[in-house]
Amino acid sequence: MPTDAATPAVSVISDRINALEAPQTIEMAKKARALAAQGVDVISLSFGEPDFQTPQYIKDAAKQAIDEGFTFYTPVPGIPQLRQAICDKLKRDNNLDYQPDSIVVSTGAKQALANAVLALVNPGDEVIIFSPFWVSYEEMVKLAEGVTVRLEGALENDYKVTAAQLEAAITPRTKLVMYSSPCNPTGAVWSRQELADIAAVLARHPQVLVVADEIYEYINFVGEHASLAQFEEVKDQVVTVNGFSKGYAMTGWRIGYLAARPDIAAACDKLQSQVTSATCSITQRAALAALQGGRASADEMVAAYRRRRDLVLEMVKDIPGFVTPTPEGAFYIFPDVSAYFGKLTPAGDTITTSRELALYLLNDAHVAAVDGGAFGAPRCLRFSTAAADDKLIEAFRRIALSLAKLH
Ligand SMILES: Cc1ncc(COP(=O)(O)O)c(C=O)c1O
């Protein structure tokens, strides 16, 4: 068999990396870009990225940092002023008391999550992941050689896992629980009472730790955001992850953080010191300015996200076979599309999975979505609503037309 450099006969790649999945969010974006490069007018709703610019005052702080020559390595877990500002933010927004030695600033919330998983999970440990879940959780657990236990939230409960479900899933091997609220992909927001019930379960299992991913905290349409760490009896079991990508439209700057009890924070700092060191010094100054500016700029963006969510829900209501809970936060809709499984495309192909439906919509409607299988929900598709209103209107008009051709 002929071989080339890209596919040599014997793989030199480690089993660890061969076993990893590439994120489907990025796969679909690649396919959409390839089609667009052929001149097709593709509307990409596959990426989880705000379409807003980073607010000007944050950009200005970065420019000032460059002009002042703030271009050197910083302490690995972040500059002291930023770690203090994060403590102040956690107090102001979440009523959480942390000292700077509990804070580790990282290259995105993604690195904060990976730090926490690798710092806590031993080979064979069970990690309960509330499902549907964000694409990278399972792969991070794989890297740590942990065993994922998916715990599925019911559609009737807006896909939210309940305390009773959690209680039933905990075993002597359970080390960690992971979830996001507001949730990517479902938009579900766990209420204070729901988290209180979950905290009561965790308090009975003090050996179980939790990674609470709150990256969408500010993109919340129901008002109150509750943090699991607010329940004092479990605070030391919780690693809270947050960042700047979504709330401050800072995806490209690469900065996020975690707050945890000092021994866990120190372990994350140790790991990060051997892998990447601190994130960019200039980005840290930008993030400091972002926090000092409060959440006014986020609130403006949230008003737009809410309007777009309502716009999309209104259009989706008229699409038969899309069963969509109302997202309470984040910027996605996550319809169950299984009503289309078994239907034929005009070309005579049978749609059997949401992945095939996503590909059909890309090729026929020229709209890119992500297959729910990537999030543990193979009956669903994820559409980002972080796009301009006219794009969303056109996308769902095309989707409705393409779906109507299936029979
Ligand atoms: C649920 C969730 N957690 C974490 C991240 C990573 O965010 P960051 O850009 O800060 O690495 C994302 C980004 O899409 C996300 O959706």
Side-chain angles (χ1 to χ4, degrees), residues 102-113:
S102 280
I103 309 300
V104 180
V105 177
S106 298
T107 306
K110 199 175 219 173
Q111 189 185 23
L113 290 163

Side-chain angles (χ1 to χ4, degrees), residues 48 108-110 113 134 137 180 184 213 215-216 245-246 254-255:
K110 199 175 219 173
L113 290 163
W134 185 49
Y137 294 168
S180 62
N184 176 4
D213 181 349
I215 185 89
Y216 290 95
S245 288
K246 316 293 174 173
R254 308 312 302 131
I255 187 162

